[in-house]
Amino acid sequence: MTAIIALSLFGISNLFLGFWFPRKTIQLVTLLFLVVSMALTVSDWNHELLWFGNMFRTTNTSINFSLIIQLAAFFVVAFSKAFGQDDEHTHPAEYYAIMLFSVVGAILMVSFDHMIVLFVGLEILSVAMYVLTGSDKRNLRSNEAAIKYFLMGSFTTGFLLFGITLVYGATRSFYISNIGTILTTTAPESMPSFLFIGVLLIIVGLLFKVSAAPFHFWTPDVYEGAPTIFTMFMSTIVKTASFAALFQLVSGIFGSLYTVWVLPVYFISMLTLVVGNISAVYQQSVKRMLAFSSISHAGYLILTVSSKQISTTSSILYYSLSYTLATVVAFAVLILVSEYQSARVEKPENFSSFEGLAKNNPGLALCFSISMLSLAGIPLTAGFWGKFFIFSDTFSRNIIYPVILAILMSAVGIYYYFKGIIAVYLKAGEIEKIEVPTLFKMALWACTLGTIILGIYPSLVKSVF
Amino acid sequence: MSLLFILFFPLVIGAILLVAKPKQAFAISLIASIIELVATILVLKDAATAENGLVFTKPWIEEAGISFSLWVDGVNGILIGLCALMVPFIVATTANSDKANNSQYQGLMLAMQTALMGAFLAKDAFLFYFFFEASLLPIYFLAAIYGGENKNAITFKFFVYTLFGSLFLLIGLIYVYLVTPGSHSSDIETLYQTATMLPERIQGNLFLAFFIAFAIKMPIFPFHTWQPDTYTVAPTQATMLLSGIMLKMGTYGLIRLVLPMFPLGIITWGNTAIILSVIGIIYGSVIAIQQKDAKRLLAYSSFAHVGLMSAGILSQSLEGIQGALYQMLSHGINIVGLFFIIEIIERRTKSREIAQLGGITQYSYVLTVAFVILSLGSVALPLTNGFIGEFLLLKSVFDHDMIIGIVAGISIILGAVYTLRLIQKTMFGNFSRITKDFEDLSAAEKWVLIPLCAFVILGGVYPTWILNFTEPGVQALVSLLK
């Protein structure tokens, strides 16, 4: 919990550091801040405590989620190369500060014990993201994406808030634990019917954030318009945080209302899988493909939501971690390649600009391919076990057809992820050696190694979760 | 420990080759594969004397009851032996070619060996699946980077098709695994016990899921459409790995997983599967007769041979399984030799078109003799290794159902037609424009072909020591079926 106080202070001090120090220093300091906050997060391990008038709860699960979020933030900061090269128009200190603030929001979302904390956390995270999406001020697409994201996001927040209000009206409590007790002790028939609408609205509000179909329409455009580094941030941190919140609510306090939401949730998960995977097949742009891939991964995760089993928590954590590691690498290589190609081709983010990458940049090609393999769920990578745990968890609850659909869809996934590998290794193209900063390179290899180690020995973290 | 060594040694050397890119890739790779062969022979010797075979177990994902366990018994011993035996030859076939000192190429081949070894050695079903899938990566890159015309589309189809098939296997495995008592276990022997208790309808569905996965891998009609193109387009060594060793993962999966797990499923679907396999034999042979490209002809012949193995296995008899194991070994040896001969011809004449070749016997006597011996092994003439396997397989299919047995028996005639036609058109007759001045075999090429021919005859004359080695394992397996 001290982590969120520390991160807020770090964020403010970052703003001031911008007066005196160049970007490079601020980047290193921000990394240091994140390491400190991760250490502070770990120090709460095995102390289940309530804070701030019982509104905030730290459990081992929430700590694990916060660690994944901060790890993702760490890599995003380490990869933040694309912006801040020209200091006149970009404000590195501010962006790093905003990133830290949004991490605070994300941590609030995974450790709330009070509905208002969930709402505040979501708002902190989202407002920060609206700013970051539009941070490439002179780019029309970035501005458009920011507006779009903002409008959609505020709409969603309205849903969530409305849902919270209705649930409060029915249970007279904002506290998760109280609501949970009331819901389990009262027979569903004696509940006011608007409770069920409230529950569904809350779920829809959060599904919006994880970009589940049919609430996904903003995702490809916003992901494509935003500077790639913030797309990376969105597709990992925002997703993990919203997903953790959803999981906590649905399988925790709303567990007794299983029959109310189970069908919509399964329907949405299957729709998300189909829409995400099938649309991804048709993308020419790697960035848009990754946007749809993030939609499809949301589909896999939603499949597991509806269980109260302990093993599911660890599966979701494992999946989030493996997805995060692979996604940041994919975006990082995309940043490098599109930066290199931006002066040379019209559409630097297309698959075609990756062609022939392996020839002079074998390291980048390898990292990119491993991340694609992991996202596709091929053995030897973390993604395989992520999918495996999710399928076996879902299967163990006798949910057969959605799992079969998910497995078929993961075969579709191979198609578009392999487009990347084929472009990198098998197509001929002229890409010279791309200069990669040392820090960037280290982060790239750390993620790639992480993906492989988790792929070979998943128990390493699975036993911790 | 020795099991771990034979599993990971090729991968370690392969990784060194891939990363360090040494100049003498060929020598390193050849020596490594020979060390691997010697180590494997020692392991097999231990396994033959040990009471219940060799077992190695370490927890892997303890929370889920998944362990890293390996074993060697009569059933997989022969496949491990085949894998260890053929890789040195496959490596040796690159001698003096542009791929000899290509460290990436050699490294991928050795990585492939580890994946294949892993699939054969695994005692845990998910470990099996892990290697079963992982083997696709090195072979995909071998074929896709070094392949011939239109390689991207063809190898991609191969990858997606086979991976799609194995996802069915994954569904089936997870299902059976979740039925196991307590905190679940995926040990193959535990799965035997739980799976056989399942009701007939479920066993039938699971049988289908497993069978589709293995049928795509082997391949069995009608799941074979990826195979001829991939075999043709892949570089020869990749084709050898695919047809000589990798397709045996499918037949091995049938023996190891499907037979003991779903006896009731086989009652429902076994006949259908056998009929499909036999259709594959006839279909593959008839198409092979019409092929113009020698490599493609061999691809179809491989497709025909594997159909008979699958039919024999599914007949669930001792002879069928023994015959299939023996045939896997012989087919591995013969097909690698035959593909190498086509490669030799192609290197010298730049062509695989049967119509353009001919008269090579006038220039290279040894090549002709080797070609004839290997072909006769493939046709299953008595005194060659192919005969023992095919005989046992046909007998088992015949015992199972006489009509299917007769139809399958036609395959011997058809096999003789396309194989002898291939020899006649390429080796005998008048020399053509491109076979004129055909260069005789180099020493390295002889070093590959002569031992392979010796195996063909040795296997045909003295099969008992191998059959005796496999018998206890197969006997144990068959006793589970009754």
Side-chain angles (χ1 to χ4, degrees), chain B residues 6 16 36 80 83 89 98 131-132 142 152 184 195 249 388:
Chain B
I6 61 167
I16 291 173
E36 169 81 2
I80 295 160
C83 184
F89 285 104
D98 53 338
F131 284 117
F132 188 78
L142 271 179
N152 288 6
H184 304 312
M249 290 203 308
I388 316 292

Side-chain angles (χ1 to χ4, degrees), chain B residues 54-122:
Chain B
L54 297 177
V55 180
F56 171 88
T57 306
K58 268 264 175 324
W60 188 23
I61 309 173
E62 258 181 308
E63 312 81 69
I66 299 173
S67 59
F68 189 93
S69 44
L70 310 170
W71 62 348
V72 179
D73 65 355
V75 179
N76 63 3
I78 198 142
L79 290 160
I80 295 160
L82 171 73
C83 184
L85 178 67
M86 291 329 289
V87 172
F89 285 104
I90 295 174
V91 170
T93 58
T94 61
N96 301 328
S97 74
D98 53 338
K99 288 169 189 124
N101 280 325
N102 183 331
S103 57
Q104 189 183 32
Y105 195 80
Q106 302 286 358
L108 284 171
M109 283 205 282
L110 291 181
M112 182 69 188
Q113 188 179 17
T114 286
L116 293 164
M117 280 287 197
F120 294 139
L121 281 168

Side-chain angles (χ1 to χ4, degrees), chain A residues 62-289:
Chain A
S62 78
I63 289 174
N64 282 327
F65 274 119
S66 337
L67 283 176
I68 293 178
I69 286 168
Q70 289 169 63
L71 190 72
F74 181 87
F75 284 122
V76 172
V77 173
F79 287 135
S80 60
K81 156 183 194 291
F83 78 108
Q85 297 296 35
D86 104 70
D87 280 350
E88 202 180 320
H89 292 282
T90 54
H91 309 276
E94 281 86 336
Y95 293 139
Y96 287 127
I98 294 175
M99 271 152 96
L100 290 183
F101 292 143
S102 68
V103 171
V104 173
I107 297 179
L108 285 177
M109 281 176 75
V110 301
S111 353
F112 65 95
D113 204 45
H114 190 279
M115 287 295 200
I116 297 301
V117 176
L118 169 67
F119 175 71
V120 171
L122 186 71
E123 278 301 273
I124 296 177
L125 180 66
S126 306
V127 173
M129 282 323 298
Y130 305 147
V131 177
L132 293 178
T133 305
S135 61
D136 195 356
K137 283 175 293 190
R138 290 168 301 170
N139 183 341
L140 201 63
R141 303 270 299 282
S142 173
N143 285 309
E144 183 198 326
I147 295 285
K148 205 169 207 165
Y149 194 23
F150 174 64
L151 287 178
M152 289 293 201
S154 6
F155 201 57
T156 321
T157 323
F159 273 8
L160 182 73
L161 206 51
F162 196 33
I164 292 176
T165 321
L166 290 178
V167 170
Y168 175 74
T171 60
R172 296 190 199 137
S173 176
F174 281 126
Y175 285 96
I176 299 294
S177 27
N178 287 352
I179 298 175
T181 330
I182 291 165
L183 291 183
T184 40
T185 49
T186 328
E189 300 81 50
S190 58
M191 298 271 191
S193 53
F194 60 77
L195 168 73
F196 308 123
I197 300 174
V199 169
L200 287 179
L201 281 176
I202 292 179
I203 292 176
V204 166
L206 288 169
L207 286 177
F208 234 105
K209 284 285 164 195
V210 299
S211 56
F215 318 116
H216 67 287
F217 290 102
W218 59 274
T219 318
D221 293 342
V222 172
Y223 274 33
E224 200 186 11
T228 311
I229 187 76
F230 299 124
T231 313
M232 188 197 286
F233 197 94
M234 254 186 273
S235 64
T236 52
I237 293 167
V238 178
K239 260 218 159 121
T240 312
S242 319
F243 207 85
L246 183 70
F247 174 65
Q248 223 146 327
L249 285 176
V250 164
S251 68
I253 60 167
F254 298 152
S256 50
L257 301 175
Y258 187 73
T259 45
V260 175
W261 52 259
V262 68
L263 282 179
V265 164
Y266 278 130
F267 175 73
I268 285 172
S269 125
M270 286 161 79
L271 191 67
T272 309
L273 283 168
V274 173
V275 168
N277 281 299
I278 303 288
S279 317
V281 168
Y282 294 101
Q283 303 309 318
Q284 295 304 316
S285 154
V286 176
K287 210 168 170 186
R288 270 185 99 85
M289 182 278 278

Side-chain angles (χ1 to χ4, degrees), chain B residues 382-398:
Chain B
L383 292 184
T384 61
N385 58 1
F387 175 72
I388 316 292
E390 294 238 323
F391 177 77
L392 288 170
L393 285 169
L394 282 173
K395 176 174 183 299
S396 69
V397 178
F398 207 82

Side-chain angles (χ1 to χ4, degrees), chain A residues 373 378-380 384-385 388 392 395-396 407-408 411 414-415 418 421-422 426 455-459 462-463, chain B residues 60-63 66 126 129-130 133 137 140-141 144-145 152 156 159-160 163-164 167 170-171 174-175 178:
Chain A
L373 291 174
I378 311 281
L380 294 175
F384 170 71
W385 292 110
F388 175 84
S392 73
F395 228 152
S396 69
I407 289 182
L408 293 182
I414 294 161
Y415 178 80
F418 260 69
I421 297 179
I422 288 177
L426 306 178
I456 291 171
Y457 193 57
S459 274
K462 182 86 162 119
S463 52
Chain B
W60 188 23
I61 309 173
E62 258 181 308
E63 312 81 69
I66 299 173
F126 290 124
Y129 182 81
F130 185 81
E133 292 261 276
L137 286 178
Y140 170 75
F141 282 109
I145 296 177
N152 288 6
F156 185 60
F159 191 91
V160 173
L163 196 80
F164 177 70
L167 289 173
L170 182 62
I171 304 180
I174 292 178
Y175 188 94
L178 290 171

